[in-house]
Amino acid sequence: MNSFENHAGFNISSSRLQVVEINFKSDQFQLENVDEAYFNEPLNLEYDKETKINTLLQSAYNELLIRNPLKCDYVSFTLPLDLFYIMQVPYDSTLLNQDLIEEFRWEYSILYPNLLVNDFVIQYIEIEKNKINEAGTAIVIALPRKFLQIIHNFCMRNNLKVRFIDNAHIASDRALFVNNVLTDKGLILSIYFSDKSLSVIFSYNSKPIYFKTIPLNDAGKIIPVLLDEINNNQNIKINKNLIENAFIAGEDLSANLVQSLSEAIGLNFKFFNPFEKIKPETNIHTNKYYIEKFNSFSPAAGIALRLA
């Protein structure tokens, strides 16, 4: 029995709201909708007043509905990279889940003494010792609870049922996994570039082993930052020759940027299509986003495909 319910994924960035709707028909996934709407002015979820956030989100959402009403009630969201606090630390595998969460919360209180860490929602990924990681560690991802409340309130106003809220890069990588790209054995690098941040994930044997987000307002700094992550990484034992595949996703990436990046780093960075294994409805075949901007929709597609 299939456990997938018809589901729409939304990606929120500083400039736009993107949607990917995926339904399950005739025993297969079908792509119903790929669309985006720009905000009337830049959105800053961290610093804008909630009234402004609500107005911008609602206006963009209304624009999307006018063009193509949702056919589902269940929705999920991905949020900008810079809202999340990420650390990678050793952990005690004998501790129970709640005890681990409290241990991580204490670690955050040391790293960010000026933040209300008790209001963080925390998830973590356990990483066993392997030839890339010399010791067992945990990738810990924290998000201030207020952002969950903003999404919850938005969904309540629009009679939507929210399922998941996730980091844009993690959701993007889920789209890679669904398309059977990350099932390859070996070391895989994926990067996600937004208007404020560069995010780096290394996966080994289909599992993430390293995750870092670097504030980055200047695209000209991508190359030195990436070279440093590859050549001088103190957390994992890697070198460029170990990387079997490299992928890139993000906002408004050009083919020229990806080519320049590949030449400078010495890796063949690939755009990937998150819709490759999903059958499109007939009207989608002429959708300009589906044809031309598929890569930028990887977070929305990844969260729409999430099952648990």
Side-chain angles (χ1 to χ4, degrees):
M1 178 180 294
N2 173 64
S3 61
F4 185 86
E5 296 184 73
N6 296 344
H7 192 200
F10 289 90
N11 177 49
I12 301 174
S13 72
S14 63
S15 61
R16 75 202 78 174
L17 179 66
Q18 296 177 311
V19 62
V20 169
E21 185 174 3
I22 296 174
N23 293 336
F24 195 81
K25 298 178 181 177
S26 304
D27 295 326
Q28 62 181 334
F29 294 118
Q30 292 196 0
L31 184 62
E32 291 275 356
N33 188 15
V34 181
D35 202 356
E36 67 181 15
Y38 280 81
F39 301 126
N40 295 326
E41 57 182 294
L43 172 67
N44 189 317
L45 286 169
E46 188 168 7
Y47 296 111
D48 285 342
K49 292 182 178 179
E50 190 165 346
T51 51
K52 177 182 176 180
I53 294 172
N54 293 339
T55 299
L56 292 177
L57 284 177
Q58 192 64 52
S59 178
Y61 178 69
N62 290 344
E63 183 180 335
L64 294 174
L65 287 189
I66 289 171
R67 288 199 292 263
N68 199 345
L70 290 182
K71 298 179 181 178
C72 64
D73 296 323
Y74 290 95
V75 295
S76 293
F77 289 79
T78 64
L79 299 178
L81 308 176
D82 55 305
L83 300 184
F84 295 82
Y85 296 87
I86 300 163
M87 64 180 182
Q88 188 157 353
V89 293
Y91 74 102
D92 185 349
S93 60
T94 64
L95 290 177
L96 298 175
N97 177 71
Q98 190 55 43
D99 293 329
L100 268 176
I101 294 292
E102 291 307 313
E103 175 70 18
F104 296 145
R105 204 178 297 279
W106 178 82
E107 296 266 7
Y108 275 118
S109 72
I110 302 300
L111 285 172
Y112 305 103
N114 298 323
L115 296 179
L116 299 175
V117 297
N118 286 335
D119 289 335
F120 281 6
V121 177
I122 295 175
Q123 292 186 328
Y124 62 92
I125 303 169
E126 297 180 12
I127 305 164
E128 297 179 354
K129 180 179 178 180
N130 54 53
K131 75 174 186 178
I132 307 295
N133 288 76
E134 294 184 320
T137 59
I139 297 173
V140 191
I141 305 159
L143 179 69
R145 195 177 302 275
K146 67 176 183 178
F147 300 120
L148 276 66
Q149 191 62 49
I150 287 171
I151 298 301
H152 174 76
N153 293 343
F154 172 83
C155 291
M156 290 288 290
R157 288 194 304 273
N158 290 283
N159 297 315
L160 300 171
K161 300 174 183 177
V162 63
R163 297 191 66 192
F164 309 113
I165 298 171
D166 210 342
N167 175 285
H169 191 178
I170 293 177
S172 177
D173 268 19
R174 182 171 291 106
L176 274 172
F177 185 83
V178 169
N179 283 284
N180 297 321
V181 176
L182 289 184
T183 57
D184 293 340
K185 301 296 182 182
L187 185 65
I188 294 176
L189 167 64
S190 75
I191 65 172
Y192 189 93
F193 183 61
S194 70
D195 60 347
K196 294 181 180 179
S197 304
L198 175 70
S199 182
V200 178
I201 294 179
F202 282 101
S203 298
Y204 182 66
N205 291 348
S206 305
K207 296 180 180 179
I209 58 169
Y210 178 78
F211 184 17
K212 185 177 181 180
T213 297
I214 304 112
L216 198 69
N217 292 319
D218 181 359
K221 296 180 181 178
I222 295 178
I223 290 170
V225 166
L226 261 183
L227 285 172
D228 190 58
E229 287 296 315
I230 294 170
N231 297 325
N232 303 308
N233 200 308
Q234 302 298 312
N235 294 282
I236 54 178
K237 293 174 59 178
I238 60 168
N239 61 64
K240 187 175 66 177
N241 295 328
L242 292 175
I243 300 172
E244 298 193 11
N245 278 298
F247 299 92
I248 184 170
E251 301 170 17
D252 301 321
L253 297 176
S254 69
N256 287 338
L257 184 148
V258 177
Q259 182 178 350
S260 298
L261 186 65
S262 297
E263 292 172 354
I265 302 295
L267 294 169
N268 181 25
F269 281 94
K270 304 169 186 174
F271 280 121
F272 70 93
N273 187 343
F275 308 125
E276 187 174 350
K277 298 293 179 70
I278 310 170
K279 181 180 178 181
E281 288 287 344
T282 304
N283 65 306
I284 298 292
H285 287 286
T286 57
N287 182 309
K288 64 179 180 180
Y289 303 121
Y290 175 78
I291 298 169
E292 301 172 6
K293 296 184 63 177
F294 50 83
N295 181 267
S296 72
F297 283 85
S298 57
I303 199 72
L305 288 163
R306 181 171 168 177
L307 297 177

